[in-house]
DNA sequence: GCCAACGTTGGC
DNA sequence: GCCAACGTTGGC
């Protein structure tokens, strides 16, 4: 059976909190702390293993796409919602019906230099990107295959997976 | 640091 | 169910 077509996303992170270099060091991480229902629905229902993700630095200098990652797990409950010491603890959420979900991601490649927000804004083909829309605060937004291709072209790297995707148990 | 744009909360 | 108040996000 053919692999379903690869889809693409942009995930925001404040690099002071977690950066592409942190991910390169860790190799793989869980994308926790999402507390927005629209984004929750993306993570729970739409993000799939093998999808490509742009790593975007928000609240940073410069604001930029600093690299890419690969989704390596489907959505599953974010355990930090149950932890009273966690920053994003949600006392209203119950373990038997979790409110918040997360996915696991794996480092794919680092963009050197990064593709800055200014560069994104300069390219007519990227004008529709969620992250560029005025007032957009979603920390996860869909990216089209064309936007993915253009950004890799700007970065000067191939837009295929950086390495063969590890086969994961399902 | 400012503030516009949002999402959430809670009184009614 | 409305909506004002509030807190947060995040670009500028």
């Amino acid at each position: 059976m053919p692999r379903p077509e690869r889809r693409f996303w942009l995930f925001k992170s404040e690099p002071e909190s977690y950066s592409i270099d942190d991910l390169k060091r860790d190799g793989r991480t869980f994308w926790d702390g999402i507390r927005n229902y629209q984004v929750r629905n993306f993570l729970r229902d739409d993000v799939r293993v093998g999808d490509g993700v742009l790593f975007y630095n928000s609240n940073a200098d410069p604001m930029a796409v600093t690299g890419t990652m690969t989704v390596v797990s489907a959505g599953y409950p974010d355990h930090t919602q149950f932890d009273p010491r966690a920053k994003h603890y949600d006392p209203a959420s119950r373990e038997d019906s979790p409110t918040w979900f997360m996915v696991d991601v794996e480092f794919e490649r680092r963009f050197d230099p990064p593709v800055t927000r200014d560069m994104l804004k300069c390219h007519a083909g990227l004008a529709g990107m969620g992250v560029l829309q005025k007032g957009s605060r979603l920390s996860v937004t869909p990216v089209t295959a064309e936007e993915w291709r253009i950004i890799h072209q700007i970065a000067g790297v191939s837009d295929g997976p950086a390495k063969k995707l590890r086969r994961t148990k399902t």
Side-chain angles (χ1 to χ4, degrees):
Chain A
M1 200 163 61
R3 175 183 290 280
E5 197 175 324
R6 192 177 197 212
R7 290 192 291 190
F8 305 102
W9 306 89
L10 177 146
F11 287 9
K12 287 184 197 172
S13 178
E14 302 196 4
E16 298 217 343
S17 158
Y18 197 79
S19 72
I20 190 74
D21 290 321
D22 293 326
L23 181 60
K24 186 172 185 180
R25 177 198 64 214
D26 296 341
R28 170 180 176 142
T29 193
F30 48 85
W31 205 263
D32 65 314
I34 296 299
R35 298 293 183 268
N36 169 284
Y37 286 100
Q38 203 173 336
V39 175
R40 187 278 308 269
N41 293 346
F42 282 145
L43 295 181
R44 187 189 58 189
D45 306 331
D46 300 320
V47 175
R48 296 184 300 204
V49 172
D51 285 358
V53 182
L54 300 171
F55 192 115
Y56 177 83
N57 282 2
S58 61
N59 273 327
D61 187 19
M63 290 170 283
V65 177
T66 55
T68 61
M69 24 189 193
T70 306
V71 176
V72 291
S73 87
Y76 66 100
D78 175 347
H79 58 83
T80 68
Q81 70 197 295
F82 307 121
D83 180 357
R85 293 159 306 175
K87 183 180 177 192
H88 299 287
Y89 173 54
D90 181 359
S93 185
R94 300 177 1 186
E95 301 226 19
D96 57 359
S97 70
T99 308
W100 306 112
F101 286 71
M102 63 186 181
V103 298
D104 290 354
V105 290
E106 193 173 83
F107 176 80
E108 188 166 284
R109 56 164 61 85
R110 188 174 181 280
F111 288 166
D112 188 23
V115 178
T116 65
R117 180 179 181 85
D118 285 342
M119 293 162 76
L120 300 179
K121 285 195 291 193
C122 278
H123 200 295
L126 302 177
M129 287 189 72
V131 77
L132 295 184
Q133 305 315 302
K134 183 177 166 69
S136 165
R137 289 165 43 184
L138 291 183
S139 58
V140 169
T141 45
V143 168
T144 68
E146 179 66 2
E147 289 161 351
W148 179 266
R149 190 191 64 74
I150 291 171
I151 288 168
H152 280 74
Q153 185 176 45
I154 294 172
V157 298
S158 144
D159 63 355
K163 54 186 171 179
K164 218 173 184 89
L165 291 177
R166 187 187 307 152
R167 187 157 294 280
T168 32
K169 289 179 201 156
T170 47

